[in-house]
Amino acid sequence: MTLTVAYWSGFNPAGVNIMPAWINAAAKQLQKTYPNVNVVGDEITTSSESEYYSKVDLTERSARTVPDVVFEDSFLIGSDASAGFLRPLPQLTTWPGWNAYYPAMKSSASYNGKVYGAMNSTDVQLIYYSRKLFKQAGLPATWQPHSWGDVLAAARAINRHDNGAIPVWIYTGQAVGEASAFRGFEVFLNGTSDRLYDYTTHKWEISGPGFNATWNLLSQMQPLEEPESMWSNPNADATVALTLMPHQQVGIVFDGSWVATAYVPGGLAPWPGFSSAYGEAALPTQAGGAPGYTNQSGGWALSVPSLAPHPSLSQAFIEAASSASLLASFDPASGNLPPRADVLTQPAWQAAVKVNPVSKFASAQLPYTTFRPNLPTYVQVSNVIQQLTEQVSTRSMTPSQAAASYASQVTQIVGSGNVERMRK
Amino acid sequence: MSQVVDLGRELPKEGPSAAPIGRAKNVTVETPLRRRLTGLTMVAPMLVVVLVFMGWPAVWTFVLSFTNMTVTGPTATHYQFIGFANYKQLFSTGSGLLDSVGKSIYYLFVSGYLGQAVLGFLLAYFLSRSAYAVRATVGAIVIVAWLIPEIVTSYMWFVLLSDGGVMQQGYHLFGLNYQSWLVTNPMLAVSLANAWRGAAFSFLLFSAALDGIPTDLIDAAEVDGAGGWRRLTRLTIPLLSSAIVVDLVIITLATLNDFSLIYAMTGGGPGNASNVLSVFMYRQAFSNYELAYGTAIAVVLLVIGAILAALYIRLLRRQGSLAEMR
């Protein structure tokens, strides 16, 4: 018997064998109990993450194409569960490993009170700043901004000093998909008094001072940002991490905690001098308001499609793959933070932290983190944000036009009974 | 047709109570009905293939365009019929449809008609009058461009035009500043690539048609004193009219439906700057996960293509009847 595990090619960059190594290690564990089961990784190659989601969802529609286990972005769990594509896995909560998960990670993999998978990775957002460009611009060698104003001031100082360098990198536009909604908008909005979704009233917030401030910030950042030719490329993440940063051509970078993973020995682009070239800072709130910092986390889970023919075997594979010892190798290799606390004491994780010091700083940000609304309509709301960041960056819309467009488009998507306006 | 029935009448009759005409034993007699049935049986396998693989998806697309089916979310599997809501949304202001139709028409005219049909015709016309060596060399180069898979062509042009690409190196050589055409004028960039790739088709079609024009006709016109331009406009082009219409029909449909070249080169961007109808459809269906809304755009695309094709075919018929009258 053969189990297929579908995953995205983007998680398995050329020259680095992360996914097959992890799947094979899990298969070996599984075969201790089920010796006749063969596990095959099914790498789904697409240029963008959103195309991977579409492809996986399409395979889940038919019993003839459905994989046994699917590598699922946690923000899609609600959407795919409500579509009926994923199987609830109530037995997973009785698995001994389940208790080791951070509570937020348990709810990340749940929808409507049911568990739909086990998380295998999470992350946080960081600011990377170039020590060289900061020194040239007369900025401090060790830097921690305490407000958006501090970030703008530093970016402007870099711009005044060096016209060749890109002062600030912020993901924007539709080409990079979810990255512009997540890292180019939501992490800033979370630093204001507004949120995408109000969990107390169960309504989407569609407008408010925080929304206006965030669109304004993006508009102010626009002249300091990377040029359109860079952000409109689906491989923008490679441009910043593999070209701009190694050449110290970008001053301030808003990106994920996984970026530095490429630079460790044996990584995609080993760079021993990374730590002396770039420092890390936490994301400040709008004006330094409590708790001072903000963040947002994503992460991936392993789930079982509804039409998968051997669900209990699929679940056994998930349990094997999500053990503390396997995640202790998989998470640092894939540039992620562990979703369960017991990974931190594993020798493999501790060895990895020594090689990649960013992961220590990153895990200290976990207390400030938040999650995207795990709701079916989030995917469409995210698309609205992606389009609007592009409109603001190309100056096709003013911040107030973007704010108005957001309110009307989101109302249309979720229905006027499910929205609220914040007036504070 | 009457001959076939007559044949039946000449058959020898069996016994006094002869079988009615056309029912003679052991002999197949072709009545009009039988003839029609035979024809139908012959085309049936092909008809089934066309209906199953081409007709059904078109019908299903049309049906889905009246639903709220999505790629993910509750309506992915439990979708409902919502009447004309998708079309209402599509034809309301701000949907982006008009913008995409405009871009598709630009792409059709610049890359299809100008870049492929006109360029292909000029290549065929001038090469037909040049030495064999020139003809063979240029012809081979043009056809090679056509043989290269579309996705490879896209990457070639991407590398040529993108930041840090060949074009930029060339500009720098002359001390000029280059801003990627993929950003500054993406529609022109994709149109150039499509023209480069597709001119070969028109070239081949017109080369064959030009070969079919009797040389004595041209010679006679020349003897009568018709100059080169007059011979081209009064003789060659009218004689090629059916080839021209066929070329236009095929190019129109291929260019309107073209997706991969544009998607690979610009992704429809930056922004919506190269968001032709086919890319608009894909983005709505598979990036925004609005599958049914995407199918409504597909139906609009189908209708535009069908109207244009019908116009050209009408033109072709008219040409045919004019020729008969002469």
Side-chain angles (χ1 to χ4, degrees):
Chain A
M1 190 189 290
T2 302
L3 280 187
T4 52
V5 182
Y7 64 88
W8 180 43
S9 55
F11 249 76
N12 199 38
V16 185
N17 208 24
I18 300 166
M19 295 303 291
W22 179 44
I23 291 171
N24 289 342
K28 272 190 194 130
Q29 289 298 315
L30 184 72
Q31 281 154 356
K32 284 180 185 166
T33 331
Y34 303 95
N36 298 324
V37 174
N38 190 20
V39 181
V40 179
D42 179 13
E43 182 166 309
I44 297 184
T45 307
T46 65
S47 60
S48 70
E49 265 183 71
S50 55
E51 283 179 348
Y52 167 73
Y53 308 144
S54 285
K55 277 197 172 184
V56 163
D57 284 344
L58 294 176
T59 64
E60 285 167 349
R61 281 176 181 270
S62 162
R64 273 174 301 175
T65 53
V66 71
D68 292 287
V69 176
V70 62
F71 198 60
E72 176 93 11
D73 197 326
S74 55
F75 87 93
L76 273 173
I77 284 180
S79 188
D80 284 348
S82 68
F85 292 149
L86 299 182
R87 173 183 281 273
L89 301 170
Q91 310 90 327
L92 209 57
T93 55
T94 58
W95 163 53
W98 187 251
N99 288 330
Y101 277 85
Y102 296 115
M105 290 294 141
K106 291 180 184 169
S107 50
S108 265
S110 309
Y111 171 67
N112 256 356
K114 285 181 186 162
V115 174
Y116 285 92
M119 296 291 287
N120 50 60
S121 53
T122 186
D123 48 55
V124 293
Q125 301 304 303
L126 299 174
I127 300 175
Y128 300 92
Y129 59 96
S130 162
R131 298 191 202 276
K132 183 181 142 198
L133 293 175
F134 264 55
K135 196 176 171 189
Q136 282 176 1
L139 294 162
T142 306
W143 182 61
Q144 175 56 62
H146 297 289
S147 67
W148 293 354
D150 289 353
V151 178
L152 270 170
R156 283 178 182 141
I158 294 167
N159 197 37
R160 271 197 300 275
H161 233 265
D162 183 355
N163 272 328
I166 294 166
V168 62
W169 178 280
I170 295 177
Y171 286 95
T172 190
Q174 295 176 84
V176 294
E178 176 67 9
S180 63
F182 188 114
R183 292 194 273 294
F185 181 85
E186 292 159 16
V187 289
F188 298 111
L189 182 73
N190 286 341
T192 73
S193 53
D194 290 345
R195 293 287 177 274
L196 283 186
Y197 188 76
D198 187 338
Y199 284 95
T200 51
T201 58
H202 296 285
K203 286 181 193 296
W204 289 87
E205 294 184 16
I206 52 166
S207 62
F211 281 92
N212 298 340
T214 306
W215 292 120
N216 261 322
L217 174 73
L218 295 183
S219 172
Q220 287 175 298
M221 288 282 193
Q222 190 271 338
L224 305 162
E225 257 175 33
E226 72 275 12
E228 188 171 348
S229 59
M230 287 182 183
W231 60 250
S232 62
N233 177 351
N235 297 317
D237 56 341
T239 306
V240 63
L242 304 181
T243 308
L244 295 178
M245 288 175 74
H247 291 101
Q248 303 240 33
Q249 286 168 333
V250 55
I252 300 166
V253 179
F254 284 85
D255 210 336
S257 51
W258 56 82
V259 168
T261 316
Y263 311 135
V264 303
L268 205 56
W271 179 12
F274 168 73
S275 285
S276 50
Y278 276 88
E280 299 90 46
L283 273 59
T285 53
Q286 181 184 358
Y293 305 110
T294 182
N295 223 302
Q296 184 167 276
S297 293
W300 293 71
L302 286 175
S303 294
V304 181
S306 300
L307 298 176
H310 315 291
S312 56
L313 211 56
S314 297
Q315 189 186 319
F317 173 82
I318 292 176
E319 290 172 6
S322 312
S323 72
S325 64
L326 287 196
L327 292 187
S329 307
F330 171 71
D331 286 328
S334 59
N336 283 297
L337 300 175
R340 42 189 287 184
D342 54 354
V343 175
L344 300 178
T345 54
Q346 293 282 321
W349 174 262
Q350 286 172 339
V353 169
K354 278 185 197 135
V355 185
N356 179 4
V358 172
S359 46
K360 199 170 184 180
F361 184 86
S363 48
Q365 306 308 314
L366 281 169
Y368 306 107
T369 206
T370 54
F371 294 88
R372 286 164 286 184
N374 197 352
L375 294 159
T377 38
Y378 170 75
V379 184
Q380 285 155 271
V381 173
S382 163
N383 270 304
V384 171
I385 300 173
Q386 292 168 34
Q387 286 163 25
L388 293 175
T389 59
E390 184 155 330
Q391 304 289 355
V392 170
S393 282
T394 53
R395 297 260 175 235
S396 319
M397 272 192 185
T398 64
S400 54
Q401 283 171 329
S405 178
Y406 180 82
S408 72
Q409 288 195 67
V410 173
T411 307
Q412 200 181 357
I413 291 167
V414 303
S416 51
N418 297 316
V419 299
E420 63 184 8
R421 288 169 192 274
M422 296 315 242
R423 290 180 209 279
K424 281 169 196 164
Chain B
M1 192 179 275
S2 57
Q3 272 180 339
V4 179
V5 181
D6 286 345
L7 268 174
R9 282 194 186 131
E10 283 163 19
L11 285 169
K13 292 173 180 175
E14 290 181 5
S17 56
I21 292 164
R23 292 230 182 130
K25 264 187 188 170
N26 302 328
V27 179
T28 313
V29 177
E30 297 255 318
T31 62
L33 178 71
R34 191 180 275 276
R35 220 175 111 94
R36 222 175 264 172
L37 274 176
T38 315
L40 205 65
T41 323
M42 300 274 213
V43 298
M46 198 56 223
L47 200 68
V48 168
V49 169
V50 168
L51 283 179
V52 169
F53 291 104
M54 303 177 88
W56 174 240
V59 169
W60 186 233
T61 299
F62 190 68
V63 171
L64 279 186
S65 72
F66 294 100
T67 70
N68 60 357
M69 191 192 221
T70 49
V71 172
T72 178
T75 51
T77 38
H78 300 282
Y79 54 92
Q80 293 108 25
F81 282 89
I82 53 167
F84 286 90
N86 285 328
Y87 291 98
K88 264 185 206 154
Q89 194 189 335
L90 194 56
F91 287 104
S92 64
T93 45
S95 73
L97 177 72
L98 211 63
D99 181 56
S100 283
V101 169
K103 297 217 157 75
S104 280
I105 289 173
Y106 174 98
Y107 191 57
L108 181 61
F109 272 86
V110 176
S111 84
Y113 297 159
L114 264 180
Q116 293 188 5
V118 174
L119 188 71
F121 175 77
L122 292 177
L123 273 170
Y125 184 69
F126 288 113
L127 284 180
S128 71
R129 300 147 56 97
S130 41
Y132 176 76
V134 178
R135 211 166 151 176
T137 316
V138 177
I141 293 171
V142 172
I143 292 167
V144 161
W146 193 40
L147 289 179
I148 295 174
E150 194 171 13
I151 197 75
V152 178
T153 304
S154 318
Y155 274 101
M156 275 169 46
W157 278 83
F158 181 82
V159 168
L160 181 72
L161 299 177
S162 63
D163 272 351
V166 181
M167 201 72 159
Q168 189 177 46
Q169 310 289 334
Y171 266 63
H172 283 181
L173 222 59
F174 295 101
L176 295 169
N177 216 350
Y178 175 73
Q179 254 206 309
S180 175
W181 293 0
L182 294 167
V183 174
T184 54
N185 199 342
M187 279 313 297
L188 182 69
V190 293
S191 298
L192 282 176
N194 193 40
W196 180 85
R197 187 188 115 78
F201 174 76
S202 302
F203 165 71
L204 284 175
L205 194 97
F206 290 130
S207 288
L210 280 169
D211 284 347
I213 298 179
T215 40
D216 44 358
L217 213 60
I218 308 276
D219 292 344
E222 201 172 351
V223 169
D224 286 345
W229 176 251
R230 216 176 152 77
R231 288 202 303 275
L232 173 69
T233 53
R234 292 297 174 87
L235 201 62
T236 311
I237 290 180
L239 282 172
L240 288 182
S241 58
S242 40
I244 291 172
V245 174
V246 168
D247 188 56
L248 289 183
V249 170
I250 294 176
I251 282 185
T252 301
L253 296 180
T255 311
L256 272 183
N257 294 331
D258 188 29
F259 166 78
S260 30
L261 186 113
I262 303 173
Y263 196 71
M265 279 179 69
T266 66
N272 293 327
S274 54
N275 203 26
V276 296
L277 271 175
S278 57
V279 175
F280 181 47
M281 168 186 78
Y282 178 86
R283 278 181 166 180
Q284 294 298 334
F286 298 110
S287 300
N288 290 4
Y289 310 111
E290 299 276 4
L291 209 55
Y293 189 52
T295 59
I297 301 169
V299 169
V300 171
L301 189 59
L302 189 85
V303 168
I304 293 177
I307 290 173
L308 286 176
L311 272 175
Y312 294 135
I313 289 167
R314 222 182 136 83
L315 210 67
L316 186 68
R317 284 219 184 111
R318 233 210 208 146
Q319 292 277 359
S321 56
L322 278 177
E324 268 168 31
M325 280 199 312
R326 279 191 205 119

